[in-house]
Amino acid sequence: MKKLFFVSALSLFGCAAMAQDAVNKALVDGFRKDKEKSDKDASDPKASAKASFWLERAKLYENIALQGSEVDSSAAKTALEAYKKVVELDVTKKGEPGKSSKEATNVINGGEGTQLFNAFVKQGAEKYQAKNLSGALEMFQAAQEINKKDTLASLYGGIAAQQLDKKDIAKSSFEKYAANGGKDPSVFYGLAQLYRSENNFDKAIETLNNGLKQSPGNKDLKAEVVNILLASGKEDQAIQELEALAAADPKNTQNVVNLAILYDNMYRTATDKVKQLNAKVGSGNNAASTAEKNLASEKDKIAVYDGEVKRIGALIKKQPKNADLKRQLADVTAKKKESTEAIAKLEGEVKAAQEAAKGQDVAALQKELADAKAKQKEASEKAVANYKKALEIDATNYDALYNLGVFYFNEAVQLKGEVDNMNMTEYQQRGKEVEGRVCGKFKKAKPYFEKAIQAKDEAEAKDNLTNLNGVLEQFAAKGVACIEE
C-alpha cells in the first residue's frame, strides 16, 4: 500500500524540485530583501494598521512560497495570516467588506485564478521531501481548507498522516479524496487497510467497493475484498466473490488456486467438526455399551473363577497336603476378589454412562453430523477440482502441485487412523484392504510433490517427499499392495 502511494507522491515532489531549480538567483535575492522590509513594517503601528499593507505582504509571501521557498519554507502560512488580516481591517463604515477584503476572501476560499492553494501544496511537498512530515501535513491540511473540493491536498495529506501513524487524520483525508471524485485505486486500497487494522471490516469492504465503482476491473481491490471477508470470518461470502473473479478471468491461475485453498480450508474445518461430532455422538451410548461389555466380561470371569475354585477344592480333598494346589486356590480366590471389586466399579460406570446418554439430543447431533459430512464431501471435491483446474491452466504451478500433494497425504493419514483404531477382529476382517487404500492415497500424493520440486526447489516439498517415500517403503516391507482409487 505505502509503495503505491510513494510512487504517486514522488511524481509531485519531483516537479516541485525542478521548479525550484529554475528560480533565478536574482529573484530570490529580491524576495529576501522585500521580506526583510515587510517583516520590519509589520511591527510598525502605522503601516500595520492598513489593509493595503497586509494585502501586499500576503502576495509577497505567496510568491515566495511559489517561487522562492529557500527564503521561507513556511511562507504560505504567513501569506494566509496576512490575507486574514486584510479581511479583518478592510471593512466599510456600513460594516461591509471592502474591495481588498473581498479579494482576500476569494483567495482564502480558493477562488478561481488564485494561487494560495498551490503555494501550500508546493511547500507541503518540499517539507515531505525533506522528511519533515509534521510540517508537510500541516501544509496539506491548510490546503484542504482553502480548496475543499480538491483531491491533491487530501491525497498527500493522507499519505503524510499515515506516515506519522495519525490514522484518524489519514482516514479523514482519504475519505475527502474519495468524496471529491478521486479515482486512484491505491487510495481506496490503503483506506480499506486502515479500517481493516481497526477490525472495521464492513467499512473496509464498503471502501473497496467504492474504489471498484471508479476502477471496475482492478484486480487488487477485488482480491482484497476476498481477503477482508476471510479475515472477518465470512468464508462463504469470500468464496462467492472468488468464484466470480475466477469466472470473469478464467485464465488467472492465482484466482483458481486461491479458490481451491479456500475449499481446502473449509474441508479441513469440516473434517475437524466431523471428528468432534462423532466423539460427541458416541460419548453417551457408546460409553454405556462399552461399560456394559466390560461388566459382562468381568461377570464371565467370576463364573470361570467359581469353576476353578470348585475344581481345585475337589483336588485338595484328595491331596490335602499338596502345597501347589493350595497356592493355585489362593491365586484364583484373589483374582475372584479383584473381579468382584471391578464389577462394583463397572456397575457404577454403566449407570453413569446411561444417565449421560439420556441427556443427549441424539437426533439433533446426528443431523448436525450429517450436515458436517455433506459439507466435508462438497469442500473436498471442489478443492481437488480447482487444484486440477489450476494445473490445466499452468501445469507447473507450485502452489497447486504442492497443496494437492498435501491434500492426498492428509487423506491417507486420516484413513490410517481408522486402521490404527481397529481391534484384532476388525483388522482380521478388513484391515489389509483398508491398509491397501491408505497406501494408495500416499502413492497418489507422490507425483504432485515430485512435480512441485521440479517447479520450485522448496525445502517443504522435499521434506514431505522424503517422509512419503519412507512411508511407502514401510508398506512395501509389510507386503501391502497399494490400492489406488
Side-chain angles (χ1 to χ4, degrees):
M1 175 184 62
K2 291 178 181 177
K3 184 177 179 182
L4 292 173
F5 285 156
F6 288 162
V7 171
S8 300
L10 287 172
S11 65
L12 171 69
F13 300 154
C15 291
M18 289 172 61
Q20 181 60 44
D21 290 341
V23 175
N24 185 279
K25 185 177 181 302
L27 181 61
V28 171
D29 289 341
F31 282 146
R32 189 171 283 113
K33 290 177 182 178
D34 292 341
K35 177 183 178 299
E36 289 174 0
K37 183 180 184 302
S38 181
D39 290 347
K40 183 178 179 181
D41 290 345
S43 59
D44 183 304
K46 187 176 180 180
S48 61
K50 298 177 181 178
S52 57
F53 163 76
W54 290 104
L55 184 60
E56 183 180 338
R57 179 176 172 82
K59 291 179 178 179
L60 168 64
Y61 271 88
E62 185 180 287
N63 286 327
I64 290 173
L66 291 166
Q67 302 177 64
S69 277
E70 61 193 82
V71 175
D72 187 338
S73 63
S74 297
K77 287 173 59 180
T78 305
L80 177 59
E81 291 166 2
Y83 277 123
K84 289 180 178 179
K85 195 71 175 175
V86 174
V87 175
E88 178 187 331
L89 293 175
D90 188 23
V91 181
T92 66
K93 292 179 180 180
K94 294 181 180 181
E96 297 175 351
K99 182 178 179 182
S100 295
S101 179
K102 290 178 181 178
E103 180 182 347
T105 299
N106 184 51
V107 174
I108 293 171
N109 292 331
E112 187 176 350
T114 62
Q115 292 294 311
L116 187 59
F117 168 82
N118 293 332
F120 271 106
V121 171
K122 177 178 175 293
Q123 290 205 303
E126 291 166 349
K127 287 181 183 294
Y128 187 101
Q129 194 172 42
K131 303 189 186 306
N132 180 358
L133 296 178
S134 295
L137 177 57
E138 183 183 13
M139 291 290 182
F140 291 134
Q141 284 183 302
Q144 290 177 53
E145 289 301 312
I146 292 169
N147 187 348
K148 292 180 172 60
K149 294 297 182 182
D150 181 77
T151 56
L152 191 63
S154 54
L155 170 60
Y156 294 112
I159 295 170
Q162 194 172 18
Q163 294 299 295
L164 288 165
D165 201 31
K166 294 185 176 183
K167 293 180 180 178
D168 287 342
I169 296 176
K171 286 188 296 183
S172 175
S173 292
F174 292 146
E175 287 286 10
K176 289 176 183 176
Y177 171 86
N180 289 337
K183 296 184 179 182
D184 189 338
S186 67
V187 178
F188 291 94
Y189 184 96
L191 181 56
Q193 290 296 302
L194 289 171
Y195 285 121
R196 180 178 179 177
S197 69
E198 300 171 343
N199 291 330
N200 191 345
F201 299 116
D202 289 342
K203 189 65 177 177
I205 291 174
E206 178 188 330
T207 299
L208 292 168
N209 286 333
N210 286 337
L212 286 168
K213 290 177 184 177
Q214 302 292 347
S215 307
N218 189 276
K219 296 178 182 179
D220 290 333
L221 296 180
K222 290 180 178 179
E224 190 59 16
V225 169
V226 175
N227 291 335
I228 292 177
L229 286 171
L230 286 174
S232 61
K234 298 178 180 178
E235 190 177 66
D236 291 342
Q237 196 174 340
I239 286 177
Q240 290 178 8
E241 293 285 345
L242 202 47
E243 289 273 18
L245 284 178
D249 190 4
K251 295 300 181 181
N252 187 317
T253 311
Q254 195 57 54
N255 284 340
V256 180
V257 170
N258 288 343
L259 187 57
I261 291 172
L262 284 185
Y263 280 119
D264 200 338
N265 290 338
M266 184 183 287
Y267 165 70
R268 294 180 191 183
T269 301
T271 299
D272 290 340
K273 189 168 185 179
V274 167
K275 288 180 182 177
Q276 293 169 5
L277 290 171
N278 271 326
K280 199 170 182 180
V281 168
S283 64
N285 291 331
N286 287 358
S289 176
T290 300
E292 287 169 358
K293 287 179 181 178
N294 292 337
L295 178 59
S297 177
E298 286 298 328
K299 287 181 177 180
D300 288 343
K301 288 180 183 179
I302 292 293
V304 172
Y305 294 145
D306 284 342
E308 281 294 288
V309 168
K310 185 177 182 180
R311 182 184 68 81
I312 296 170
L315 291 174
I316 289 176
K317 285 181 180 180
K318 295 178 181 180
Q319 306 174 50
K321 294 183 180 180
N322 190 319
D324 185 55
L325 287 174
K326 291 180 180 179
R327 181 190 58 76
Q328 290 179 33
L329 181 60
D331 286 346
V332 171
T333 302
K335 289 179 180 177
K336 179 182 177 181
K337 182 182 178 182
E338 289 176 1
S339 283
T340 301
E341 292 172 350
I343 286 170
K345 182 180 178 181
L346 286 168
E347 284 175 341
E349 290 180 3
V350 168
K351 186 175 181 180
Q354 288 173 340
E355 289 298 321
K358 290 178 184 177
Q360 284 188 337
D361 186 345
V362 177
L365 283 174
Q366 288 178 339
K367 182 181 184 307
E368 191 176 358
L369 177 59
D371 291 342
K373 285 182 176 179
K375 190 169 185 178
Q376 178 191 34
K377 183 175 183 295
E378 180 187 15
S380 170
E381 292 172 350
K382 289 188 175 181
V384 172
N386 279 285
Y387 281 135
K388 289 184 175 180
K389 184 179 178 180
L391 291 174
E392 289 174 5
I393 302 169
D394 177 8
T396 62
N397 185 278
Y398 174 83
D399 290 333
L401 290 166
Y402 176 77
N403 289 343
L404 198 49
V406 169
F407 184 91
Y408 288 131
F409 188 98
N410 288 341
E411 273 198 332
V413 171
Q414 290 171 23
L415 191 57
K416 186 177 183 299
E418 185 179 326
V419 178
D420 294 340
N421 290 327
M422 288 179 179
N423 58 36
M424 185 57 68
T425 302
E426 289 173 329
Y427 184 80
Q428 289 174 346
Q429 290 175 346
R430 61 190 188 92
K432 288 290 185 182
E433 183 268 333
V434 178
E435 274 193 326
R437 289 167 54 209
V438 172
C439 180
K441 285 189 179 295
F442 276 123
K443 191 173 181 181
K444 196 172 185 178
K446 185 174 180 177
Y448 292 103
F449 285 133
E450 290 174 337
K451 290 176 182 178
I453 293 168
Q454 292 172 7
K456 190 186 293 186
D457 191 16
E458 293 284 350
E460 57 183 1
K462 288 181 176 179
D463 291 343
N464 279 346
L465 181 59
T466 299
N467 293 336
L468 177 57
N469 285 332
V471 171
L472 291 174
E473 287 172 7
Q474 291 175 22
F475 278 114
K478 288 175 66 176
V480 175
C482 296
I483 301 172
E484 295 190 51
E485 299 173 320

